């Protein structure tokens, strides 16, 4: 709906979420953060959805935090300290919800992804960008270092690349973002939606339970030391191997037929 800050459309097993504040370049207002949090909570228990796509309406993906709301928060007696602490905690929680979701989340990015908007891209499991899209953690340009966006960014790209972006406030275009690992694919603007849908449909066509256990294990092992990571993922693979659907998938491969999996 036109007055909703976040809309959802289901296409088969893919849930498509659209941030809907085009006049504000989809800045992460209190209302939009709350809507994202609520929708991610619903998706956590949604057995029909296998992949989530997140996009922005209008000219940009997301311009970051809503600076007008942030400035209004300064009017409190504590000059905004409590509001700012709560805001960054809520935003950080939303970013962590994406990682915790059982479904892979794909950012479909166009125009600009700045500051917390770039953080949002980095927090998604994958990203597809339109040619010419600009990515930046540019808070330093207005005297606010992008410390919370740094968490997601530094887990996507090499440390020196992340630090340069954070300290210069300069933007990189989609092709460079792909080179440094911030996005997976770059497509012409007119083909962005089709390219994203193709990736989403490919993932949605895999065994749902295998993708879910794999996403969880991916993020668990990445924070571990080498030996612990191998021990943990070996246990995950044992569990995975004992499933009926995995048995069926292997047998189908050996017999050169399609597996009989739940649709």
């Amino acid at each position: 709906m036109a007055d909703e800050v976040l809309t959802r459309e289901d296409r088969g097993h893919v849930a498509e979420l659209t941030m809907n504040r085009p006049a504000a370049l989809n800045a992460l207002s209190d209302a939009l953060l709350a809507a994202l949090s609520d929708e991610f909570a619903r998706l956590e228990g949604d057995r029909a959805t296998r992949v989530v796509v997140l996009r922005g309406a209008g000219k940009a993906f997301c311009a970051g935090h809503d600076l007008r709301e942030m400035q209004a928060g300064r009017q409190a007696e504590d000059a905004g300290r409590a509001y700012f602490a709560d805001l960054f905690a809520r935003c950080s929680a939303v970013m962590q919800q994406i990682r915790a979701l059982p479904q892979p989340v794909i950012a479909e990015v166009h125009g600009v992804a700045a500051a917390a908007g770039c953080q949002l891209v980095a927090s998604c499991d994958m990203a597809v960008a339109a040619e010419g899209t600009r990515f930046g953690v540019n808070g330093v340009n207005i005297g606010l270092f992008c410390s919370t966006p740094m968490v997601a960014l530094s887990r996507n790209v090499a440390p020196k690349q992340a630090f340069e972006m954070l300290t210069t406030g300069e933007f990189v275009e989609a092709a460079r973002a792909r080179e440094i690992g911030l996005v997976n694919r770059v497509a012409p603007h007119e083909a962005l939606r089709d390219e994203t849908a193709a990736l989403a449909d490919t993932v949605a066509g895999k065994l749902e339970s295998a993708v879910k256990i794999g996403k969880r294990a991916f993020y668990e092992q990445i924070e571990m030391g080498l030996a612990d990571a191998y021990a943990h993922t070996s246990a995950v693979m044992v569990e995975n191997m004992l499933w009926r659907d995995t048995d069926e998938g292997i047998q189908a491969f050996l017999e050169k037929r399609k597996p009989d999996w739940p649709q």
Side-chain angles (χ1 to χ4, degrees):
M1 301 294 290
D3 58 347
E4 292 180 314
V5 296
L6 182 71
T7 65
R8 172 175 171 173
E9 181 178 348
D10 292 331
R11 183 181 57 79
H13 291 296
V14 179
E16 300 180 336
L17 308 182
T18 302
M19 296 179 287
N20 192 34
R21 300 189 69 217
L25 301 181
N26 301 310
L28 294 174
S29 63
D30 292 335
L32 180 51
L33 281 172
L36 285 166
S37 181
D38 289 346
E39 195 59 51
F40 290 150
R42 278 189 286 270
L43 282 162
E44 188 174 4
D46 185 346
R47 296 299 302 275
T49 298
R50 298 181 182 177
V51 178
V52 179
V53 170
L54 179 64
R55 64 169 65 99
K59 296 180 179 180
F61 176 75
C62 177
H65 283 294
D66 190 314
L67 295 179
R68 293 187 185 278
E69 284 191 354
M70 292 175 73
Q71 288 296 85
R74 293 185 185 278
Q75 305 310 310
E77 290 186 3
D78 64 354
R81 177 176 292 274
Y83 171 73
F84 297 145
D86 180 62
L87 170 63
F88 296 132
R90 284 184 285 115
C91 184
S92 297
V94 167
M95 303 300 167
Q96 292 175 82
Q97 277 184 285
I98 295 173
R99 176 177 286 203
L101 276 179
Q103 305 94 339
V105 182
I106 303 171
E108 180 184 296
V109 198
H110 74 290
V112 171
C118 189
Q119 179 185 9
L120 196 54
V121 175
S123 297
C124 289
D125 303 301
M126 292 180 280
V128 182
E131 292 174 350
T133 302
R134 299 168 66 238
F135 299 83
V137 275
N138 55 316
V140 71
N141 294 339
I142 57 171
L144 179 64
F145 198 87
C146 284
S147 297
T148 50
M150 172 171 64
V151 175
L153 183 68
S154 64
R155 283 161 170 75
N156 276 235
V157 307
K160 284 182 171 60
Q161 301 295 336
F163 196 75
E164 180 180 345
M165 291 177 68
L166 288 157
T167 54
T168 65
E170 294 175 354
F171 283 78
V172 298
E173 291 203 0
R176 179 61 177 158
R178 183 180 183 184
E179 288 177 0
I180 64 176
L182 185 56
V183 304
N184 299 79
R185 303 182 183 187
V186 177
H189 193 278
E190 63 274 13
L192 176 62
R193 189 154 296 191
D194 288 343
E195 184 72 17
T196 308
L199 178 58
D201 290 344
T202 296
V203 177
K206 308 304 180 185
L207 179 63
E208 176 190 14
S209 53
V211 173
K212 287 182 176 180
I213 197 175
K215 174 175 174 175
R216 185 175 70 246
F218 178 84
Y219 289 115
E220 289 170 342
Q221 65 83 28
I222 209 166
E223 302 291 344
M224 296 177 179
L226 187 64
D228 288 341
Y230 271 116
H232 177 62
T233 53
S234 293
V236 171
M237 289 198 76
V238 169
E239 179 184 347
N240 198 162
M241 277 294 294
L242 294 176
W243 293 349
R244 176 266 169 196
D245 287 334
T246 302
D247 179 24
E248 164 62 16
I250 294 172
Q251 196 60 37
F253 177 79
L254 294 172
E255 295 174 1
K256 296 181 172 55
R257 59 175 175 82
K258 290 185 177 180
D260 179 20
W261 284 339
Q263 299 301 311

